[in-house]
Amino acid sequence: MNLVEKHDDVIRVRFAPSPTGHLHVGGARTALYNYLYARRQGGVFVLRIEDTDAARSTKESYEGIMRGLRWLGLEWDEGPDVSGDYGPYVQSARSVLYHSEIDRLLREGKAYRCFCTSEELDAMRVEQERKKLPPKYTGTCRCLTPEESEERLARGMPYVVRFRMPVEGDVRFTDVIRGDFSFANAELDDFVLIKSDGRPTYNYAVVVDDAHMRISHVIRGDDHISNTPRQVHLYGALGFKLPRFAHLPMILGSDKTRLSKRHGATSIDAYRDKYYLSEAMVNYLALLGWSYDGKRELFTVKALIEAFSLKKVSSNPAVFDPAKMEWINAEHFKMLPQSRKIELVYEVLEKEGLFPPSFEVDLSRPVDLKLVPGKEPLRVEAIGDAERTYAKEIPRLALIIDALGNRLKLLKDVPDLMGYFYRDDYVRDADAVLNHLMKKESSVRLAALADEYDRLQYFDRASVEEALRALADRLELQSGELIHPCRVALTGKTVSPDIFWVVVLLGKAKTIQRLRAAAALGAEKR
RNA sequence: GGCCCCUUAGUCUAGUGGUUAGGACGCUUGGUUCUCAGCCAAGAAUCAGGGGUUCGACUCCCCUAGGGGCUACCA
């Protein structure tokens, strides 16, 4: 007993999901705060799986949650798949403990067996609702004598174990974030501890486990505030010292209701699949309900650990804002070293079927490479087994990424932003084609430009720009009048990076080919 | 129905009795430019409502409204 007391100084927190679905943003945020608090305080972060609901728990969910946490970088110190002194860390494997503790409660009269059937309970509830009374267990079995109880037990009647709630007085506890709470015991009923299938209920298992795992701080969603008084009673009945509680505000959707599928992506997996950066996800999640000084918003995980404090957690619910999430993501992407960007973009290109490219491009003058401020060595080994294409394509990819610059904010935009560099069947903007290419004059101009480029000996940026501007002069055109149709001809869009970089990175052959194709398009028009 | 939580611009927040109510996303405008993004500059927009307490309330108290949670042999 009082196992916790002598370890008072050790900070131990836990994230305790039930494996009944994917890891969603709310759960991830809870996990993150626990993680940050543990790291900040030099404590221990425990992962415990609460799978007492046999019907809804799945292995896929269990694995998915761990995959999600790992993706976010929230490594736990103790958990189902790592060592720890307080295991097992899956509730379905801890039934012996729950039962030995329940025996104590039963013996001490702090809990009792209830033989009411669910039909009886339902009828009771209907009756209470009809009378507009709060639905509570009426205590039919509360007064069963030990003999009666034993007799029914012997007859094999199914039963649950209920907590014997005091009828008077109240419970108090303090929340680190919200201050003091007091609940009247009369509001609480004799809730179930052990279900008729022998499994513990959430409220019971969570207390037994938090106590036995010596959890010092229970950091969880504020939907658990109403459960806390019950749990406080259990700590007392079991003779355990109370942990500190910190209830986090909920995360809501744009309509201020609980975040759900209809608000768009709510699972962490969805963000990973859309190529969000995990560090950006962590950063944004940290900001939902917590702030440092109201000013600084961009944090690495390391910086978060240093800055995090439960005291600064806000108590009002936060609406998840995808736009801000994107901004944070873009900021983190900007900060990445070029070698990392290359790895990341390469992965997306492969997954989206854009790599290897459908045509080859020779960058005729490697001198151009020096014009690009990508000084970092490329990490060849991260690229995998595509060495042959790699040798030619990665330097080009590096240049493309550089040309794109800040236009590339979200990895999921890679196909849209870079497709035309890798395939001929890139998406063309119909309006752009109509407005810029389906005209006689653009046809003439583009044909002329193609001829100019055909004559070029070196296809580097300076030569390419010079040729275009010279042609514009000769034709007495603004350079834009050449550049815009050229852009649409090469990319299918009205927006792109610096057109001369596009030309160079597309290579001489492909550039001329596309210019001529575009010229043909407008040839018969007027 | 009962109990509980929450309420600063569209959104995330700073703020703890006296501030021009600060920052960020988003939005608008201007500059840079071959487009867009970026960057720079500027701008619109907030204390849910009503009562108190006080010399003075965004800040404290009460009520109302709105949102959320719990009230399960779900967690």
Side-chain angles (χ1 to χ4, degrees), chain A residues 420 426-427 486-496 502 514:
Chain A
Y420 55 84
Y426 51 90
V427 179
C486 175
R487 169 172 286 119
V488 177
L490 299 182
T491 70
K493 300 179 218 305
T494 53
V495 304
S496 85
V502 171
R514 287 188 186 174

Side-chain angles (χ1 to χ4, degrees), chain A residues 71-375:
Chain A
W71 177 65
L72 291 170
L74 309 181
E75 295 288 337
W76 46 98
D77 306 304
E78 296 174 22
D81 57 345
V82 292
S83 61
D85 297 337
Y86 305 96
Y89 294 90
V90 178
Q91 289 187 326
S92 56
R94 297 172 65 81
S95 43
V96 174
L97 211 214
Y98 303 134
H99 283 95
S100 67
E101 290 293 54
I102 214 71
D103 287 345
R104 271 172 64 204
L105 293 175
L106 246 17
R107 218 181 306 126
E108 294 168 10
K110 291 171 177 166
Y112 62 89
R113 294 191 183 87
C114 168
F115 299 89
C116 295
T117 64
S118 48
E119 290 72 37
E120 289 168 335
L121 260 20
D122 287 345
M124 206 179 286
R125 231 184 322 270
V126 170
E127 177 67 6
Q128 285 165 335
E129 266 168 46
R130 199 179 57 77
K131 290 183 183 165
K132 300 252 192 246
L133 291 168
K136 281 172 58 174
Y137 179 64
T138 50
T140 314
C141 297
R142 184 181 169 111
C143 306
L144 248 38
T145 63
E147 293 71 32
E148 285 170 319
S149 186
E150 289 301 329
E151 188 269 329
R152 294 187 189 193
L153 184 61
R155 271 199 289 146
M157 283 181 72
Y159 67 94
V160 299
V161 178
R162 288 182 183 273
F163 184 73
R164 194 183 295 278
M165 185 65 66
V167 288
E168 294 179 327
D170 47 30
V171 234
R172 294 164 192 284
F173 62 90
T174 299
D175 186 279
V176 178
I177 296 165
R178 289 155 206 268
D180 297 336
F181 284 88
S182 174
F183 288 80
N185 291 156
E187 301 291 339
L188 278 12
D189 69 350
D190 291 355
F191 62 100
V192 174
L193 267 20
I194 297 286
K195 307 181 220 175
S196 54
D197 65 359
R199 288 171 183 267
T201 58
Y202 162 74
N203 275 309
Y204 174 61
V206 77
V207 171
V208 171
D209 287 341
D210 283 341
H212 280 268
M213 290 181 181
R214 300 180 186 179
I215 298 304
S216 63
H217 296 248
V218 172
I219 305 169
R220 70 209 329 181
D222 74 7
D223 47 340
H224 287 295
I225 288 180
S226 309
N227 285 140
T228 308
R230 285 177 252 279
Q231 295 171 13
V232 169
H233 272 114
L234 268 176
Y235 276 97
L238 255 8
F240 291 118
K241 184 172 181 258
L242 224 50
R244 304 277 284 162
F245 290 101
H247 287 98
L248 275 20
M250 302 265 84
I251 297 179
L252 309 177
S254 51
D255 56 359
K256 302 236 179 195
T257 64
R258 192 184 203 139
L259 198 60
S260 68
K261 311 92 234 150
R262 82 198 139 80
H263 295 109
T266 59
S267 85
I268 295 301
D269 288 348
Y271 286 92
R272 190 199 50 208
D273 292 347
K274 285 197 289 180
Y275 307 116
Y276 278 80
L277 263 20
S278 66
E279 57 267 40
M281 192 84 224
V282 163
N283 191 158
Y284 181 61
L285 252 21
L287 257 23
L288 277 181
W290 170 85
S291 68
Y292 177 61
D293 57 5
K295 296 232 186 335
R296 182 173 176 196
E297 303 199 293
L298 263 15
F299 293 87
T300 60
V301 176
K302 191 168 173 286
L304 281 174
I305 290 170
E306 284 165 21
F308 189 75
S309 156
L310 284 176
K311 299 276 189 312
K312 297 286 285 180
V313 173
S314 113
S315 55
N316 41 326
V319 172
F320 187 90
D321 181 8
K324 184 128 187 184
M325 169 75 219
E326 293 203 350
W327 177 76
I328 300 255
N329 193 269
E331 291 301 309
H332 278 270
F333 192 77
K334 275 192 211 170
M335 296 188 293
L336 256 24
Q338 203 207 25
S339 57
R340 179 70 183 139
K341 288 186 185 175
I342 292 168
E343 289 172 15
L344 256 13
V345 172
Y346 179 89
E347 275 176 38
V348 177
L349 287 174
E350 267 209 322
K351 280 192 187 136
E352 300 293 330
L354 292 169
F355 202 93
S358 66
F359 50 82
E360 296 208 349
V361 171
D362 274 324
L363 298 180
S364 60
R365 293 188 93 191
V367 66
D368 273 332
L369 289 169
K370 297 200 193 91
L371 300 177
V372 179
K375 332 88 191 165

